[in-house]
Amino acid sequence: MHPHVSRHPHPGAARRPFRLLIVEDEKRLALSLAKGLMAEGYAVDVVHDGLEGLRQAGEGGYDLVVLDIMLPGMNGYRVCAALRAAGHEMPVLMLTAKDGEYDEAEGLDTGADDYLTKPFSYVVLVARVKALLRRRGRDAEPVLRVGSLAVDQGARRVERDGTAVELTAKEFAVLEQLALRAGEVVSKTEILEHVWDFAYEGDVNIIEVYVSALRRKLGAGHILTVRGAGYRLVADA
């Protein structure tokens, strides 16, 4: 068995963290996925082989499985089909390379609940994971309240003084990271690690663009710049 990877959930997580299994043979991607999902408060195991993935998924009591299609030992479709045949009903999110050999219809026909094509962003992955867990009926994402702002993590919706504010997926993800640590300084690097694509190697200052957009939409006083350190979300400046 590969080493167990887990962490204590952040205060906004459910009392018992969701347990996720990642079955992905690209080790760098698998560890990036695990790191990101653990930061969301999930407990995560990682394996890199289809046969081992099937064995562990069948025994581990997982709430969700992230399953690559192209795996050594047994491909993801066969793993998923075997899990369903054995009566396991946990959601399965399948991953595949763009223009790969397999297609979405085949994946869903095999019993997968959703399908994500590489490369994908962290924002999209987390949204899909949360949606699948909500569908299962156990996900009780909190509404984060910071002064006049209400950040609904489950619905990915923001209100200011009770009025909905339209945000893009990236803007919401940046705000969510700030709201999870309201009152604390969050660095640009920390935001980048949670919000951008795993392969992103661009300028960390792109965060400034999204913070500027959030200030326009939410009011400049909510997000303070801490020079040389990052940003802090406050109730009111």
Side-chain angles (χ1 to χ4, degrees):
M1 182 186 297
H2 291 265
H4 177 73
V5 185
S6 66
R7 57 159 274 175
H8 294 294
H10 60 67
R15 181 169 298 174
R16 178 179 79 80
F18 289 105
R19 298 191 64 229
L20 310 185
L21 176 66
I22 296 172
V23 188
E24 168 61 70
D25 64 326
E26 293 180 44
K27 293 185 179 180
R28 181 179 174 186
L29 173 60
L31 292 175
S32 294
L33 290 172
K35 179 181 177 183
L37 290 167
M38 286 188 293
E40 295 289 328
Y42 301 117
V44 182
D45 285 335
V46 177
V47 297
H48 305 296
D49 173 272
L51 288 169
E52 175 65 9
L54 175 60
R55 186 197 67 76
Q56 195 151 326
E59 298 176 0
Y62 292 99
D63 296 296
L64 182 142
V65 177
V66 178
L67 179 63
D68 190 38
I69 291 175
M70 300 298 289
L71 292 166
M74 175 184 282
N75 74 43
Y77 287 151
R78 292 179 60 203
V79 171
C80 187
L83 286 172
R84 296 303 189 228
H88 297 290
E89 298 180 353
M90 80 285 277
V92 174
L93 172 59
M94 302 199 80
L95 309 177
T96 188
K98 189 174 183 179
D99 300 323
E101 176 182 347
Y102 301 98
D103 62 25
E104 180 172 356
E106 184 173 356
L108 296 173
D109 287 346
T110 313
D113 297 271
D114 203 353
Y115 175 98
L116 199 54
T117 301
K118 300 175 185 176
F120 49 82
S121 74
Y122 178 74
V123 172
V124 173
L125 173 79
V126 171
R128 298 288 185 88
V129 166
K130 289 181 176 181
L132 289 172
L133 291 172
R134 280 199 304 277
R135 198 179 304 168
R136 198 178 188 206
R138 269 207 58 231
D139 198 4
E141 290 288 352
V143 176
L144 305 171
R145 298 187 184 278
V146 185
S148 61
L149 298 180
V151 181
D152 187 330
Q153 293 179 273
R156 303 192 73 75
R157 173 186 171 89
V158 176
E159 292 184 355
R160 181 187 181 199
D161 291 321
T163 301
V165 180
E166 294 297 323
L167 300 181
T168 67
K170 282 279 201 299
E171 289 167 355
F172 180 90
V174 170
L175 178 63
E176 182 181 34
Q177 291 307 311
L178 294 171
L180 284 167
R181 294 173 55 187
E184 300 178 25
V185 178
V186 185
S187 72
K188 291 179 183 178
T189 299
E190 288 173 314
I191 296 172
L192 197 71
E193 287 178 350
H194 287 288
V195 176
W196 264 255
D197 296 3
F198 293 108
Y200 182 79
E201 296 179 353
D203 189 347
V204 69
N205 290 322
I206 191 173
I207 303 299
E208 295 175 5
V209 175
Y210 288 89
V211 168
S212 177
L214 287 170
R215 284 172 171 156
R216 286 197 307 272
K217 294 181 178 183
L218 303 175
H222 284 289
I223 303 176
L224 304 182
T225 298
V226 181
R227 191 173 299 278
Y231 300 100
R232 182 168 62 226
L233 186 68
V234 296
D236 291 291

